[in-house]
Amino acid sequence: MESNHIVTPGELVESNAANILPGKGVYKKDGKIFAKVLGIPRKAGRVVSITPLRGKYLPKKGDLVIGRVVDITLNGWRVDINSPYSSLLPLKEFPAMVRRGDDLSKYLSIDDYIASIVANVSSQNIVDLTMKDAKCKKLDQGLVFRINPLKVSRVIGTGGSMISLIKQKTNCKIILGANGVVWIQGLPEQQLKAMQAVKLVERLAHVQGLTDKIKSFLES
Amino acid sequence: MFINKESLLKMLDKGLRLDGRGLLQFRNLEFELGVIDTAEGSARVKLGNTEVFAGVKLSIEQPFPDTPDEGILMVEANLIPLSNARFELGPPSVEAIEVSRVIDRAIREGKAIDLKKLVITPGEKVWSVSIDIVPINYDGNLIDVGCLAAMLALKNTVFPSVDENGKIDYKHKTNKTLPLREWPVIITLHKVGKHLLLDVNEHEERLSDCRLSVAVMKDNRLCALQKGGDKPLTMRDIDEMLNIAIDKSEELRKKLEVYS
Amino acid sequence: MAYARKDRGLLEPRPITARVGVIENADGSAFFKIGRTAAYAAVYGPRDLYPRALQNPRRAVLRTHYNMMPFSSVGERVRQGPKRRSIEISLVTEKALLPVLELEAYPNTAIDVFIELLQADAGSRAAGICAASMALAHAGIEMKDLVAAIAVGKVGGELVVDLEYEEEAFEGEVADIPIAMIPSTGEISLLQMDGPISKQELLKAISLAKPVLERIVKIQREALKDYYKSV
């Protein structure tokens, strides 16, 4: 990544914005486009936007996220999904039948990790989760760690190639949350190796020939 | 980083830690002396991702009535919210007070400073040595890192000059150093399941059953102890922890050889 | 004889260094040093805000906290805990940063900014503002611009830029004017003064700050880009 491609907030992105539409991360003023977030400018058709380099995960409907149960309420479980907004998994969105008056900690207790899907984000950023999907489950074993949510797509790789490579070479189960939370389960040594590989991809996301580098790391 | 206890224990059974270290291995150590111009002595120590500044301020005070012929020593750890999302604004937390007091005991009881040599007029005027420990990034093991930073800052301390009226002129430092005569090193060992861990990070600290901090002097005698955590220790645990602490204190001293 | 400085011109700031990403735990962080004055800033957020009564459904709540580390001052140890001076500086720092921040992008959350002075030799609030604005940008928070700050003033009858402690304590009249500016618009978001000065001189002093603040913002932008160069 060339640092001269990076823009900082307040920097000019386009000096003549007559035919340009401001997208994400930019604003228009006096016929010019300026950056409002640290990142790399992109142009798609007439739209100029900025791909941010860092920032919190903002929940989107349909995203698979990994979260930690932080509270149990009458209506369900409050879950920390590594975003500015805490979210709720309502009783009816838990895959098993939960009876009225049951002790909810029998199903999920505080500090448990779950893979879940963002079911809805209200205009006030109230987030509802669901676990009624084959991809969702309680994550009992293994280890959980965070990476930059903006680097998740790089870890997945083109058509899932990178993540498949790591899974295959380490024999680990891996779930990548869109929120930058990663879950890995396998044998102790393999688990560690898979975690190191994911972190390596995160760190070297911009490097050419990354797949080969990761392959030789996993085989070393 | 999160791992539940069960999975962590499985890894420890294989001698593995989350950052790839051995169970009794330190994280990478960096240190630097004389990093704060406004202090009379200072140091920065970084062990893994725990990074700490220690600064020494000297002043002239009235001695405590029960020790009229001794200078004053004060140690304070400041767990500022800048260094960890878990820390809050406000008066010192229980955690901060424990860290301060354990480091204070190691330095005081190890007789690191000859406090008798800090007397100006017995019963009236003595030098007071204030050591402040401030982490800028907290990732576990603050007692050990804080004590190390405090001792390096003391090594680096010089007296300011004093004018004819007995007032300190802080802008002009002399080349007179503190009367140091011992160098206590604290080694904290954590017990997780049946395993003993050295230099824990914040996550391991959270899953720890209990810990023992051991302050070791140059001749391997001990000068302070603190048992922490919810679970008890067996006599065998204690024996083993003391042996490891003595070994590891020597290892740490070697890394600092330039200054001892 | 007119007032002169030993080691730099009257309109010359002290040497500056700036870095970001200095505090691993924080969402954004920065270090800003000018002469012997050095400030760390950490941003945590946007994050969940409890109790809920503190939340604002229209925008994030910005909470700024300025503090001097106990050993950061020449002379006596700085006692910790809330003090009138730190509370006021926290307030004006927050107001200096607010105009550039797009807080509407993060309703119901808190953005916490912690500024800690490692060592202070005058100009500490300005250094804190410079560090904080870099830390906010480093955290990826939406903002229209960075904010740069410096003190200008009048010492020994001369207008000067970037006063140091010796000058604040100069015998005779001294005016000390910390200023923060939003570079892309030229607007002023912090303006304080203590000491006597005429209206004409004040306006002149503010105009002298402008080229220096433009230099500072360049250094801030470089530091943000350098972080990604070194990775």
Side-chain angles (χ1 to χ4, degrees):
Chain A
M1 188 189 303
E2 283 300 317
S3 72
N4 50 10
H5 292 156
I6 298 174
V7 291
T8 58
E11 262 185 279
L12 187 68
V13 179
E14 283 284 346
S15 51
N16 184 357
N19 288 310
I20 287 171
L21 297 171
K24 275 195 169 230
V26 298
Y27 64 98
K28 201 168 178 174
K29 203 185 150 220
D30 305 332
K32 294 172 182 157
I33 302 269
F34 295 91
K36 64 175 179 184
V37 68
L38 177 69
I40 299 163
R42 301 251 179 265
K43 203 168 172 180
R46 289 174 57 200
V47 181
V48 166
S49 59
I50 290 183
T51 308
L53 287 164
R54 221 174 138 95
K56 285 280 173 93
Y57 166 70
L58 297 176
K60 272 203 326 282
K61 190 175 170 175
D63 278 354
L64 174 77
V65 294
I66 295 175
R68 180 172 59 96
V69 176
V70 289
D71 196 9
I72 300 178
T73 71
L74 284 172
N75 312 318
W77 297 267
R78 194 155 283 290
V79 182
D80 174 3
I81 55 165
N82 191 34
S83 98
Y85 307 105
S86 77
S87 51
L88 189 79
L89 173 69
L91 290 183
K92 64 173 172 45
E93 297 299 334
F94 189 74
M97 176 68 184
V98 179
R99 285 197 189 81
R100 198 174 289 274
D102 258 5
D103 172 12
L104 294 187
S105 63
K106 272 198 328 205
Y107 305 96
L108 291 174
S109 63
I110 288 174
D111 272 353
D112 277 348
Y113 273 83
I114 56 167
S116 61
I117 284 176
V118 177
N120 192 34
V121 184
S122 80
S123 61
Q124 286 303 307
N125 290 302
I126 294 163
V127 182
D128 276 333
L129 301 174
T130 179
M131 284 184 76
K132 285 190 167 167
D133 186 290
K135 293 191 211 96
C136 298
K137 62 173 179 175
K138 184 179 161 193
L139 305 169
D140 273 327
Q141 306 277 322
L143 56 94
V144 173
F145 60 98
R146 294 197 317 192
I147 62 169
N148 184 344
L150 303 165
K151 298 280 156 54
V152 170
S153 60
R154 191 69 189 90
V155 179
I156 294 169
T158 322
S161 57
M162 188 66 84
I163 194 68
S164 307
L165 175 71
I166 300 173
K167 282 181 184 170
Q168 182 210 331
K169 295 279 178 196
T170 60
N171 266 320
C172 283
K173 292 180 191 160
I174 303 178
I175 300 178
L176 278 173
N179 57 341
V181 182
V182 186
W183 172 80
I184 295 183
Q185 192 212 335
L187 292 173
E189 295 89 343
Q190 305 287 27
Q191 212 164 254
L192 212 53
K193 189 117 197 184
M195 176 174 84
Q196 286 161 348
V198 170
K199 286 188 170 175
L200 203 60
V201 180
E202 180 200 19
R203 195 154 57 87
L204 303 177
H206 56 288
V207 171
Q208 300 271 316
L210 185 55
T211 310
D212 289 338
K213 281 198 175 69
I214 297 302
K215 206 167 175 175
S216 65
F217 169 79
L218 289 166
E219 284 164 0
S220 68
Chain B
M1 170 75 65
F2 186 90
I3 184 167
N4 65 23
K5 190 95 169 231
E6 199 188 330
S7 307
L8 178 68
L9 289 174
K10 268 191 200 159
M11 292 190 61
L12 296 178
D13 286 341
K14 297 255 177 184
L16 288 170
R17 283 168 87 172
L18 289 171
D19 51 11
R21 269 188 295 159
L23 272 50
L24 296 179
Q25 206 179 335
F26 287 109
R27 290 173 287 181
N28 186 46
L29 174 71
E30 265 178 45
F31 57 92
E32 210 182 334
L33 271 66
V35 288
I36 305 162
D37 300 333
T38 46
E40 275 70 71
S42 61
R44 180 184 69 88
V45 176
K46 190 167 186 239
L47 192 60
N49 272 333
T50 293
E51 186 169 12
V52 168
F53 282 101
V56 174
K57 289 300 297 178
L58 297 179
S59 57
I60 296 175
E61 313 280 347
Q62 214 178 356
F64 293 119
D66 53 338
T67 50
D69 57 347
E70 279 186 14
I72 296 168
L73 170 66
M74 196 219 68
V75 180
E76 199 165 305
N78 305 262
L79 302 188
I80 52 175
L82 168 127
S83 67
N84 195 301
R86 190 163 61 82
F87 299 154
E88 284 172 4
L89 292 171
S93 60
V94 176
E95 185 181 357
I97 290 169
E98 189 192 20
V99 172
S100 308
R101 286 186 52 88
V102 175
I103 296 172
D104 181 296
R105 281 216 296 286
I107 294 174
R108 191 181 302 277
E109 302 305 324
K111 308 263 187 293
I113 309 171
D114 190 346
L115 293 176
K116 294 223 167 2
K117 289 199 175 143
L118 295 179
V119 178
I120 302 165
T121 317
E124 281 177 31
K125 275 162 92 185
V126 296
W127 283 102
S128 166
V129 181
S130 297
I131 311 171
D132 275 284
I133 295 160
V134 183
I136 60 158
N137 195 71
Y138 177 86
D139 187 20
N141 202 17
L142 186 60
I143 293 179
D144 299 11
V145 183
C147 182
L148 185 56
M151 283 309 303
L152 288 170
L154 289 173
K155 287 260 168 199
N156 177 249
T157 299
V158 290
F159 283 89
S161 54
V162 178
D163 67 19
E164 57 273 24
N165 304 319
K167 258 198 87 184
I168 300 177
D169 176 6
Y170 282 104
K171 278 178 211 147
H172 296 99
K173 290 181 182 174
T174 65
N175 51 18
K176 193 182 152 210
T177 55
L178 280 176
L180 299 182
R181 54 181 193 188
E182 181 48 77
W183 186 335
V185 163
I186 302 182
I187 301 291
T188 300
L189 290 154
H190 282 256
K191 193 176 175 200
V192 186
K194 60 182 196 311
H195 302 285
L196 297 182
L197 264 62
L198 177 75
D199 184 23
V200 292
N201 62 28
E202 192 187 8
H203 187 66
E204 292 167 334
E205 210 164 67
R206 261 205 303 264
L207 294 177
S208 156
D209 294 320
C210 56
R211 63 177 143 87
L212 184 66
S213 298
V214 184
V216 187
M217 296 190 285
K218 280 185 201 158
D219 61 1
N220 287 349
R221 282 185 310 143
L222 314 174
C223 60
L225 288 177
Q226 180 86 342
K227 188 263 167 198
D230 296 347
K231 300 220 170 126
L233 289 167
T234 63
M235 272 314 294
R236 256 182 76 182
D237 291 334
I238 294 170
D239 189 28
E240 197 183 344
M241 285 166 132
L242 294 176
N243 285 336
I244 297 169
I246 289 168
D247 277 2
K248 288 293 164 181
S249 73
E250 278 175 12
E251 188 182 324
L252 197 56
R253 275 178 213 287
K254 284 211 183 90
K255 292 182 201 261
L256 306 164
E257 220 148 44
V258 230
Y259 296 109
S260 53
Chain C
M1 211 175 77
Y3 176 71
R5 281 168 167 168
K6 270 185 239 118
D7 48 354
R8 58 183 170 121
L10 293 176
L11 306 182
E12 184 72 19
R14 292 168 287 176
I16 297 170
T17 50
R19 286 199 312 274
V20 301
V22 291
I23 299 165
E24 184 78 19
N25 286 339
D27 294 312
S29 60
F31 175 73
F32 187 90
K33 188 173 183 198
I34 179 161
R36 299 206 306 168
T37 297
Y40 279 94
V43 170
Y44 287 89
R47 59 180 173 183
D48 227 356
L49 179 55
Y50 284 100
R52 290 210 169 261
L54 296 175
Q55 295 184 355
N56 184 328
R58 277 183 289 279
R59 63 184 115 88
V61 176
L62 180 68
R63 300 186 294 190
T64 311
H65 180 77
Y66 166 101
N67 184 53
M68 284 178 67
M69 289 188 188
F71 37 66
S72 63
S73 173
V74 177
E76 278 171 27
R77 174 176 182 270
V78 183
R79 290 185 53 187
Q80 298 297 286
K83 282 187 305 283
R84 293 164 65 89
R85 178 181 180 273
S86 327
I87 292 168
E88 191 215 349
I89 294 178
S90 301
L91 172 77
V92 296
T93 299
E94 192 165 297
K95 302 301 178 200
L97 298 167
L98 265 173
V100 298
L101 294 173
E102 303 248 307
L103 297 177
E104 299 75 19
Y106 316 99
N108 294 323
T109 66
I111 297 176
D112 288 310
V113 180
F114 299 107
I115 298 165
E116 291 278 346
L117 269 291
L118 180 67
Q119 49 186 46
D121 179 13
S124 72
R125 74 195 68 188
I129 291 167
C130 291
S133 94
M134 290 163 69
L136 285 159
H138 179 240
I141 286 166
E142 293 191 10
M143 52 206 284
K144 289 187 204 80
D145 205 346
L146 300 177
V147 179
I150 191 99
V152 293
K154 188 180 164 190
V155 179
E158 300 287 334
L159 294 180
V160 298
V161 167
D162 189 22
L163 285 75
E164 51 196 276
Y165 182 76
E166 297 281 325
E167 293 176 322
E168 282 186 354
F170 186 81
E171 274 179 56
E173 285 187 351
V174 177
D176 177 18
I177 313 161
I179 292 178
M181 194 183 76
I182 302 159
S184 61
T185 63
E187 290 168 300
I188 306 291
S189 63
L190 169 103
L191 182 60
Q192 294 182 289
M193 180 170 83
D194 46 73
I197 198 166
S198 73
K199 182 190 156 191
Q200 285 75 12
E201 282 174 318
L202 171 65
L203 295 177
K204 180 85 201 303
I206 296 174
S207 72
L208 293 173
K210 203 172 176 211
V212 179
L213 290 166
E214 275 160 7
R215 246 169 82 186
I216 291 175
V217 84
K218 229 170 149 178
I219 295 170
Q220 291 173 299
R221 293 197 197 288
E222 280 313 308
L224 283 159
K225 294 177 186 183
D226 278 352
Y227 175 75
Y228 289 95
K229 211 184 268 177
S230 61
V231 164

